[in-house]
């Protein structure tokens, strides 16, 4: 695996992106909701279940520029037409993504 993410890295986690209906995800993004803290116990359980390869990919996500992550989401939307990807690719939701990535980083250091 390279140090850059691609849609192929995201594809196995598609169910995580689609678990929240698009209209709710967009509402959370508009309000800059701290999604991670809202579902902290589920996120912690998920983080604890990651294998070494998944942890490496998570590390790449956490160290990636938000614009890079949104480019991956845009590519994923192009390939799948899944609206959740389109929402996450929207530059006006950059702060929402950064907030939640920062929250994941906090959980990993607790």
């Amino acid at each position: 695996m390279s140090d850059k993410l691609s849609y192929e890295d995201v594809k196995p986690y598609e169910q995580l992106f689609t678990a929240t209906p698009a209209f709710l995800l967009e509402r959370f993004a508009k309000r800059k909701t701290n999604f991670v803290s809202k579902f902290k116990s589920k996120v912690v359980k998920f983080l604890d279940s990651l294998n070494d390869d998944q942890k490496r990919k998570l590390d790449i996500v956490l160290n990636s520029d938000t614009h890079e992550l949104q480019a991956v989401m845009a590519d994923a939307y192009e390939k799948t037409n899944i609206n959740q990807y389109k929402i996450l690719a929207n530059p006006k939701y950059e702060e929402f993504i950064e907030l939640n990535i920062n929250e994941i980083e906090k959980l990993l250091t607790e």
Side-chain angles (χ1 to χ4, degrees):
M1 188 193 85
S2 72
D3 286 349
K4 284 199 160 242
L5 292 175
S6 70
Y7 169 66
E8 294 307 313
D9 296 316
V10 171
K11 190 175 180 176
Y13 305 100
E14 210 151 77
Q15 75 276 8
L16 295 174
F17 292 100
T18 59
T20 302
F23 77 95
L24 282 178
L25 180 61
E26 187 149 29
R27 185 179 301 160
F28 288 136
K30 281 181 183 177
R31 294 180 180 171
K32 299 176 185 115
T33 301
N34 188 331
F35 208 67
V36 173
S37 71
K38 197 175 215 41
F39 298 99
K40 183 177 178 177
S41 64
K42 289 182 181 185
V43 173
V44 168
K45 186 176 180 180
F46 175 75
L47 292 174
D48 288 343
S49 73
L50 297 177
N51 65 36
D52 288 341
D53 186 51
Q54 291 167 323
K55 288 176 184 176
R56 260 191 319 280
K57 288 178 184 177
L58 177 60
D59 190 50
I60 293 169
V61 169
L62 296 176
N63 291 300
S64 293
D65 179 74
T66 307
H67 299 288
E68 277 181 63
L69 297 175
Q70 288 187 300
V72 172
M73 294 295 107
D75 184 45
Y77 175 68
E78 249 181 58
K79 291 178 175 163
T80 65
N81 280 332
I82 293 175
N83 285 331
Q84 289 86 337
Y85 289 137
K86 182 180 179 181
I87 293 163
L88 294 171
N90 189 328
K92 70 182 179 182
Y93 300 137
E94 179 180 351
E95 196 174 329
F96 169 74
I97 292 170
E98 289 172 354
L99 169 71
N100 285 282
I101 285 176
N102 289 337
E103 195 64 30
I104 291 170
E105 288 175 331
K106 283 184 205 173
L107 289 177
L108 291 171
T109 59
E110 286 183 352

